[in-house]
Amino acid sequence: MLGARIRQGRAAAGLSLRDLAQSIGLSAMAISKYERDQAKPSSETLLRLARALNVRTEYFFRQSEFELSEVEFRKHSKLSPKDEDKALADVREQLERWFELETIVPASWPKDFTLPPDLPTQVTTYAEIETVAETVRKHWQLGNGPIRNLVDRMEEEGIKVVLTPHDGGKKFDGLVAKANTHTVVVVGSDWPGDRQRFTLAHELGHLVLNRRISSELDEERACNRFASAFLAPKGEAIRSLGESRSWLEPQELYLLKREWGLSMNGWIYRAQDLGIINKSAARRHWEFFAQQGEGTTTWREQEPGDPYPKECPRRFDQLVYRALAEELIGESKAAELLSIPLIELRSRRRMDATNAVGRN
Ligand SMILES: [Zn+2]
């Protein structure tokens, strides 16, 4: 048990046996013995291990009460096996803290994800996906406006979202897994907000459209259509752009991106999907975007203007403070759950200026 936790912590930190051994002044053999439960580290060694792995010592004794299964990296992922291990270990660690919080504050995982009851049994055209997206918005009571905090909204609907910094130098393209019965979607914590949101909405598309798409349609394309329709509903998109256009100004696309959290490129696709611009007009936009940019980076690779802000989930932290307020947990458990030092927790509780906003 302790050994497995040390191994998991080492994988999460992306360290080899030798790296870890070196950083705490022991032999690789000694660490290997700890990991196989053939030797027990002293409490002082455990403290050094915790420091080297950037975890609190409680981490080594936490019971993991869930099974992570059906792990699926998205198709474009080019992660090395080592980076995959790192990402998965981090996902496990974050989920463990969620599961633990769930046992303390029952409201933390409010329900299992369910599909709206009135979805069509089969989708035979891409255009029908507009209605599917509207149905999900209605079921979630989102109205027609921009979705401000997609991560928190998905979690309220019973989908667990994990943001991980381990994306193997941006090679990672999101992943979906099951933790017990819960669906887990993982995206990069350092990605721009519009990429995080599109990936989340795309994965939601897979959940919603699963086994409903007729064989003539391409599932990935269908999920992309779902994602853009979910983020920027048809009626609002047409209201913003008009019914028929031949050219969309970059500044116009940028302002729409700021408002809806859908990329500028995503808006060009959206306009084409909705028949606002035709195919050749869309091509003119791609060509223009491929010519603009700084140095060798074009607008297609990196859009101009400020990036859309990253998703900043608040639910987990809020629930920890709620548990603290209701005296369900003490300060040291709260610090452990938030994965911060006790001194930092106390500073946040006092609302010290630098910490008032919380993490991320
Ligand atoms: Zn997909």
Side-chain angles (χ1 to χ4, degrees), residues 3 10 40 43 70 84 139 146 187 205 268 321 331 343 351:
R10 183 167 63 77
K40 216 171 169 278
S43 54
E70 295 174 44
E84 278 192 17
H139 187 60
V187 296
I268 300 170
Y321 290 111
E331 281 192 323
I343 190 164
M351 298 298 291

Side-chain angles (χ1 to χ4, degrees), residues 52-300:
L53 299 176
N54 202 16
V55 296
R56 297 169 58 92
T57 46
E58 292 92 327
Y59 171 86
F60 298 120
F61 301 101
R62 206 184 291 147
Q63 287 280 2
S64 155
E65 280 153 13
F66 67 94
E67 197 63 51
L68 197 63
S69 60
E70 295 174 44
V71 175
E72 250 179 81
F73 283 89
R74 284 188 67 199
K75 286 205 178 86
H76 305 292
S77 173
K78 294 180 210 79
L79 278 188
S80 67
K82 192 183 162 199
D83 284 334
E84 278 192 17
D85 282 353
K86 225 156 122 180
L88 283 176
D90 180 51
V91 169
R92 282 194 139 279
E93 201 274 325
Q94 293 196 44
L95 286 173
E96 275 163 17
R97 287 190 277 124
W98 261 109
F99 275 100
E100 189 173 2
L101 183 64
E102 191 190 28
T103 63
I104 300 164
V105 190
S108 58
W109 217 320
K111 54 180 166 187
D112 281 336
F113 171 68
T114 55
L115 291 169
D118 43 354
L119 287 176
T121 49
Q122 197 167 43
V123 174
T124 51
T125 65
Y126 292 112
E128 285 170 56
I129 295 170
E130 297 291 332
T131 322
V132 174
E134 279 165 25
T135 308
V136 176
R137 267 189 170 255
K138 212 163 140 196
H139 187 60
W140 288 17
Q141 299 178 319
L142 288 172
N144 295 324
I147 306 168
R148 284 294 163 223
N149 196 332
L150 187 54
V151 170
D152 283 347
R153 276 309 281 130
M154 285 175 76
E155 294 204 326
E156 279 159 26
E157 294 299 330
I159 300 167
K160 190 79 220 72
V161 178
V162 175
L163 303 176
T164 180
H166 301 295
D167 68 350
K170 307 237 171 2
K171 285 198 200 102
F172 168 69
D173 215 6
L175 81 86
V176 182
K178 286 252 177 205
N180 294 347
T181 59
H182 302 289
T183 299
V184 182
V185 181
V186 184
V187 296
S189 55
D190 298 330
W191 298 355
D194 52 320
R195 181 172 170 209
Q196 293 175 328
R197 291 159 62 85
F198 196 84
T199 304
L200 290 170
H202 174 100
E203 296 303 340
L204 177 60
H206 278 295
L207 295 174
V208 170
L209 295 169
N210 185 26
R211 288 198 277 270
R212 283 172 214 280
I213 307 172
S214 72
S215 54
E216 307 93 79
L217 303 188
D218 174 63
E219 183 163 346
E220 291 309 307
R221 199 178 146 194
C223 292
N224 284 342
R225 178 70 177 258
F226 176 89
S228 42
F230 183 69
L231 292 171
K234 182 178 173 180
E236 296 298 312
I238 293 174
R239 212 191 312 277
S240 301
L241 292 173
E243 305 236 347
S244 174
R245 301 280 300 274
S246 52
W247 180 250
L248 309 169
E249 277 287 316
Q251 190 59 244
E252 191 184 357
L253 296 169
Y254 177 66
L255 292 171
L256 286 170
K257 169 179 170 175
R258 302 301 297 174
E259 187 176 1
W260 294 89
L262 175 66
S263 68
M264 294 167 73
N265 281 290
W267 272 101
I268 300 170
Y269 278 113
R270 193 81 189 109
Q272 188 189 355
D273 282 344
L274 296 174
I276 296 167
I277 56 174
N278 62 25
K279 214 172 165 183
S280 74
R283 198 177 318 121
R284 278 204 311 282
H285 287 85
W286 305 135
E287 282 162 9
F288 180 74
F289 268 58
Q291 287 158 5
Q292 306 297 311
E294 273 172 52
T296 52
T297 312
T298 71
W299 283 8
R300 289 221 66 171

